[in-house]
Each structure stands twice: as structure tokens, then as C-alpha cells.
Amino acid sequence: MTQRDDTGRRQNLGTDQAWAALGGDPGLTEHISYDGPSGLLPARLPVMALARSTVAVCALAAAELAAQRDGGPLPAVRVDDRAVATAFVSERHLRIDGRAPSTFAPLSRFWRTADGWLRTHANYPHHRARLLGALGLPDTAGPADAEAVIAARRAEELQEAVYAAGGLAVAARTPEEWAAHEQGAALARKPLLTREDLGAGAPPRVLPARAGDPVLPAAGLRVLDLTRVLAGPVATRTLALLGADVLRIDAPQLPESQDAHSDTGFGKRSTALDLGSPGGRASFEALLAEADVVVTGYRPGALDRFGLTPEALVERRPGLVVARLSAWGDDGPWGGRRGFDSVVQVATGIAAVEASDDGTPGALPAQALDHGTGYLLAAAVLRALTEQARTGGSHLATLALGRTARWLVHDLGDTPGRPAVEAATGYAVTTGYDPAHHLRETDSPAGRLLHALPPVSFEGGPANWATPSGHWGTDAPVWR
């Protein structure tokens, strides 16, 4: 395995930790090689180590499933740091007919409060309306109006008021403050991800050998994608790359960004179903009856009323692989709260570690919690499919952005329990790296897309998605 002094040690450490969490054979990591310059995704925290490790274990899990299907040797896995770094900011590289999509709305930002800092997320119209309502402002209010209100109030008070209104806001904390918080303690009691057997009633999964080039380990498998920005769609985009028939399902009453879907919808189809209506529920049940995998990305409990708990799904479809993710995990006082990468960074102390010299909270150079958790989620699905082919059963994998944040802050550095610092690179951006080498142009129903190529790579594997992103919510609710 390629090693490069301190960075090489870290890349092996992170990969070994993630692969162990996935329950993989530790000897298989010897099939991974690494390449690329240092200094990518520069930050105080080891962001590149997280990115590299999550992509590495996802590629290894894909290679393992390919070997399981074909009965041959494990394909070699190669991780190119340049491709990884490009993919981890895929939404920034995206161009639609030459246009760069907007990512964060004006009310999604840091705000100075009477006693510290607050981070809000208001990209969706309903979240914007709820934020303004919690602040006592009209829908026509802008950042200057919000700034005046927020500056006069305490961060914790605002956090609770906005969440009570159904919005998203988080008070900035240090890693030490988060460790002392009840939700931080709840996350600390859990590993990076959990894997459970939901029942041994299903026989071993029959995976016919695949012939041809490229090897598509997930070919023939059907995935129901009930996720939204960004970690879940990254995971299912990866499963689509590997050959799965992925059908994303959204509620028609929830708005979604076509720009975001253009980035994460490669290889997939997208439909809108109202699970609260008889027709929508019947369509879903027909899809579930032939599904192999269900991936959910809503806050815990949000889908329970539709009979979408892992146990209920497996009861109706034995042998299912269920993978779920959330922002804060499924226990603790924040278990049922909404959250996105940006607010999880702030709550868990990442923004404090990455703060500027004047104390203004900072951010990671990528939405690394989202992307990293997405690749871990895809890897968990692939590993479950491999194990099912051997032993059968129904499987559940659970991940959370908050758990990935803890891994980054406390486990990937030099000293467990303390924030890590990439002293060798600091914030210096490497030279000799041109992301254009890892971008492609593709015609799509939404326009001509300039997009990042997938970073998941193994011998004989696919280099790009079979189909581009389509129009969100317009496909028929049927399997291919």
C-alpha cells in the first residue's frame, strides 16, 4: 500500500477505521493503492484523510461485491486524491449550459448574536419562511432585517426558537462544548456507523455472475432512494454508477432544486409520489415488492407514519437491505431534529476549529460530512449485499452526519480525543492539480452539464455514469 509519511499514515488509519466499522476483512485493505499530491482540501482538520478514506472503502466494497458475483480475485482499488478532491466539491464544479448554480441562499449564513454566533440554513422556501417567522419578521424581510434581530438575542435562545418553528439554526460551539452537550455525548456513545441483522428468514441472495467490461457490481439490483440533499443522493448516485436501478422518490409537496438534482441525479431516475394518498401508497408498495435496497435520509421518525421503519419494511419485503442516515443520529435530545452539513459543522465544533484569526467561525473546504457520509452509506449497502450473498438475512445500516463529524474531529488526528491539525499542509493549496482533468461535459434533459467524474475506482470498474441527470420528479414510478 502506498504511503506518504504523515499523510500516508493518516490515509491508512482512516481507511482501516472505516473498513473495520463496515465489518470488512482487514486484509482486503492491502488491495488499495493511493496516488496524488498533498495539500488538497486544505484545512486544520484532516479533511482529505476523511475524503480519501470514505472513497477508498466504498471502492473496496464495490470491488468485493464484484469478486463475490464473479467468483474471481478481488480487483485492485486505486484512489486518486485529485479525483476525490474534485468530487467532494462536485456541486461547485457543476455548470448547466455554462451557468454556475447558486448553492446557499442569503439567509443561510453565520450571524453574530449577543453572546456568540449562530448558523442558519434557509435554502428551501419553507425553511426561510419558518426562520423569518421565528424572528418575528415578514416574508419580505432580508438579511439586514434579520441581522438586527439576531444581534440582540442569545444564540442558544435563537436556536431553540427557530427549531420550535420548524426551521434550522444552530449556536456555534467548540469541540469541548459539544462533547459536554447531551447530544454530543449521545453521538460519542455510538460508533462511526452501526450494522444490524433484522432477521435471518431470507435465504442467501442469488447474484448471477456478470460478464463484460466494465464490471458493474450492483447490476440488476433495485434501489428505492428516499433521500434529499446531500449525503443520501451522493450514496445513491454511487450505487447507480455501479449498475443499480435507482429510483428516487420525493413528496410532490416538498420543493427540490433542479440544480442540486443535476449534480446528484446521475444514473438515477426521479419520481414524485404522495405516500399519504391511496394511489401513491399503492405505487410505492408495488415498487417495494421488487426492491432490493431502501435508502432513507429523513430525520428519525419522519417516515414512520407511512410504515417505513426498517422493521416494517423488512416484514413486507424479507431480504431487504435498509440504509438510513440523519443529521444527529437516532437518539439523544436532538435525534428528531432536522439538520444539514453546514449546521452540523457549527454545532460539533468544526467551525470553531476552522475559525479565522479574528474568531469568525469557519467552514471545511467541502461539505465533507455530506460527501463522506454518502460514500460510507454506499459502502455499507455494498457490504450488506456481499454478506447477504453468503449468509442471507435482512440488513440495516445507520449513519449520521454528527457521527462522521466526531470521527473527523476526534479519531482521524494524531491524538484520539483531541482535534487534529494538518500541520504539514495548513491552508496551503497544492500546485500541479488541475480539476479539469476530472470533469466531463454531458448533454442532459436539463442542459449541457459540466460535472465531476466519480472518484470510486477499481480495476475493470466504470469510469462514468451510464446516464446523465434528468428532470427532477418526472419519471414514471416503475422499475426499468
Side-chain angles (χ1 to χ4, degrees), residues 68 108 158-159 171 177 196 249 258 270 279 318 323 333 410 430 462:
Q68 175 69 32
S108 295
L158 286 164
Q159 169 191 283
E177 289 169 338
E196 301 174 46
I249 297 176
Q258 176 60 45
S270 168
H410 294 285
T430 188

Side-chain angles (χ1 to χ4, degrees), residues 69 76 119 138:
R69 295 189 74 155
R119 182 66 160 87

Side-chain angles (χ1 to χ4, degrees), residues 14 21 68 111 200 208 236 275 298 331 336 353 377 386 459 467:
Q68 175 69 32
W111 309 84
T236 52
L275 298 185
Y298 291 77
D331 56 4
V353 174
L377 187 68
T386 296
E459 185 179 3
T467 59

Side-chain angles (χ1 to χ4, degrees), residues 197-204 314 391-394:
D197 189 339
L198 292 179
V314 167
T391 62
S394 303

Side-chain angles (χ1 to χ4, degrees), residues 103-175:
T103 53
F104 284 96
L107 294 181
S108 295
R109 49 168 275 196
F110 283 106
W111 309 84
R112 188 181 287 278
T113 67
D115 63 344
W117 292 90
L118 185 81
R119 182 66 160 87
T120 56
H121 191 288
N123 286 3
Y124 288 111
H126 56 296
H127 290 155
R128 179 183 184 277
R130 292 167 185 173
L131 171 63
L132 291 174
L135 298 177
L137 294 171
D139 189 58
T140 55
D145 305 300
E147 188 172 31
V149 173
I150 291 172
R153 297 172 65 178
R154 295 175 56 251
E156 188 89 16
E157 173 202 349
L158 286 164
Q159 169 191 283
E160 296 306 310
V162 173
Y163 266 105
L168 290 100
V170 166
R173 292 173 174 82
T174 66

Side-chain angles (χ1 to χ4, degrees), residues 5-334:
D5 52 62
D6 180 61
T7 303
R9 186 192 64 76
R10 279 191 182 146
Q11 71 192 16
N12 301 342
L13 171 68
T15 300
D16 290 345
Q17 289 175 345
W19 190 245
L22 291 162
D25 177 353
L28 296 186
T29 58
E30 295 299 324
H31 292 261
I32 304 173
S33 64
Y34 303 88
D35 185 34
S38 61
L40 302 177
L41 300 181
R44 293 194 177 103
L45 290 165
V47 177
M48 193 64 222
L50 179 148
R52 178 191 304 117
S53 300
T54 56
V55 170
V57 296
C58 186
L60 182 58
E64 181 188 33
L65 182 58
Q68 175 69 32
R69 295 189 74 155
D70 295 339
L74 185 78
V77 173
R78 178 176 177 269
V79 178
D80 184 339
D81 281 4
R82 292 158 292 203
V84 173
T86 304
F88 260 62
V89 289
S90 62
E91 64 276 7
R92 297 184 204 166
H93 289 298
L94 181 70
R95 297 292 183 272
I96 306 170
D97 290 332
R99 174 182 62 84
S102 59
T103 53
F104 284 96
L107 294 181
S108 295
R109 49 168 275 196
F110 283 106
W111 309 84
R112 188 181 287 278
T113 67
D115 63 344
W117 292 90
L118 185 81
R119 182 66 160 87
T120 56
H121 191 288
N123 286 3
Y124 288 111
H126 56 296
H127 290 155
R128 179 183 184 277
R130 292 167 185 173
L131 171 63
L132 291 174
L135 298 177
L137 294 171
D139 189 58
T140 55
D145 305 300
E147 188 172 31
V149 173
I150 291 172
R153 297 172 65 178
R154 295 175 56 251
E156 188 89 16
E157 173 202 349
L158 286 164
Q159 169 191 283
E160 296 306 310
V162 173
Y163 266 105
L168 290 100
V170 166
R173 292 173 174 82
T174 66
E176 294 76 16
E177 289 169 338
W178 180 243
H181 190 276
E182 193 174 350
Q183 188 61 38
L187 288 167
R189 290 191 291 268
K190 293 289 187 72
L192 175 60
L193 61 93
T194 56
R195 302 162 61 250
E196 301 174 46
D197 189 339
L198 292 179
R205 182 184 294 276
V206 177
L207 293 171
R210 304 300 304 171
D213 185 20
V215 176
L216 295 176
L221 297 169
R222 292 169 167 172
V223 179
L224 286 175
D225 174 7
L226 284 76
T227 70
R228 290 168 70 79
V229 177
L230 178 62
V234 167
T236 52
R237 178 180 71 182
T238 304
L239 296 175
L241 168 75
L242 300 170
D245 182 3
V246 179
L247 180 62
R248 174 169 165 171
I249 297 176
D250 285 274
Q253 64 270 25
L254 285 179
E256 183 56 290
S257 163
Q258 176 60 45
D259 287 354
H261 183 65
S262 292
D263 176 46
T264 60
F266 283 90
K268 301 188 279 188
R269 292 174 300 125
S270 168
T271 192
L273 284 180
D274 181 0
L275 298 185
S277 71
R281 186 58 180 270
S283 294
F284 178 84
E285 293 300 324
L287 292 166
L288 177 64
E290 297 184 279
D292 301 293
V293 178
V294 174
V295 184
T296 66
Y298 291 77
R299 58 194 170 90
L303 300 175
D304 290 3
R305 68 186 186 278
F306 301 118
L308 298 183
T309 65
E311 295 77 11
L313 289 167
V314 167
E315 183 178 354
R316 303 201 299 281
R317 177 65 169 161
L320 200 64
V321 171
V322 181
R324 58 180 180 171
L325 68 95
S326 63
W328 308 107
D330 50 3
D331 56 4
W334 288 14

